[in-house]
Amino acid sequence: MAQDDLYRTVVLERARAPQHAGALPAATLNGQGSNPLCGDRVQLHAVLDGQGRIEAIRHETRGCAICAASADLMAGRVTGQDRAHVGRLHAELVEAVETGTAPAGLGELAAFAPLHQHRSRRRCALLPWSALIDMLNDDKDR
């Protein structure tokens, strides 16, 4: 499957039928992000385990299909991961959307690499990740 086709398939499937959307009543961490230029908004709810790994995470996303798909893929990918791993994934995704080349191991997140051709849409894919990094950093500073 060509990279552009993978992008369309993954984004449309996850935007239409998210697997990790909704509230998380037991959340001990909450974060949010917004992009006033396009109206995307994301709220994150997470629970960390005793070792600082993300035990559960859910998102409530309002905005474009790219943002919704990114939030949902992110939630699935970071469950069970610690801050350091989340930071590496974020850096790899940034590299992919800025260069068009996805590092090995990025998995379905590689579908966002074609956004390197659409500068204004990069923020849509990265917004949930920025909100997650901010949320984890805020918790670390407590």
Side-chain angles (χ1 to χ4, degrees):
M1 182 180 292
Q3 195 172 34
D4 286 345
D5 292 338
L6 177 64
Y7 164 76
R8 283 185 201 82
T9 300
V10 169
V11 168
L12 291 177
E13 284 178 3
R14 285 302 184 102
R16 286 183 187 146
Q19 298 173 11
H20 305 282
L24 184 61
T28 54
L29 292 177
N30 294 286
Q32 61 184 355
S34 65
N35 183 351
L37 295 177
C38 69
D40 289 343
R41 293 178 308 179
V42 63
Q43 291 186 321
L44 302 175
H45 315 286
V47 175
L48 299 184
D49 68 13
Q51 282 74 47
R53 291 184 301 258
I54 298 172
E55 186 175 295
I57 184 168
R58 305 285 287 177
H59 69 93
E60 296 178 275
T61 304
R62 301 290 177 255
C64 70
I66 294 169
C67 186
S70 181
D72 206 60
L73 287 168
M74 177 195 71
R77 189 65 188 271
V78 302
T79 300
Q81 304 302 321
D82 62 17
R83 285 178 179 87
H85 189 80
V86 170
R88 286 190 299 275
L89 281 172
H90 177 246
E92 290 175 358
L93 181 61
V94 169
E95 179 182 340
V97 300
E98 289 181 354
T99 67
T101 303
L106 201 53
E108 282 187 301
L109 294 169
F112 295 104
L115 292 177
H116 79 282
Q117 299 172 23
H118 308 282
R119 186 172 179 83
S120 64
R121 303 310 305 234
R122 293 177 195 169
R123 175 85 171 128
C124 300
L126 296 175
L127 177 64
W129 289 85
S130 298
L132 176 61
I133 297 295
D134 290 347
M135 179 179 72
L136 292 174
N137 286 338
D138 286 350
D139 180 61
K140 187 173 65 174
D141 294 339
R142 289 182 200 180

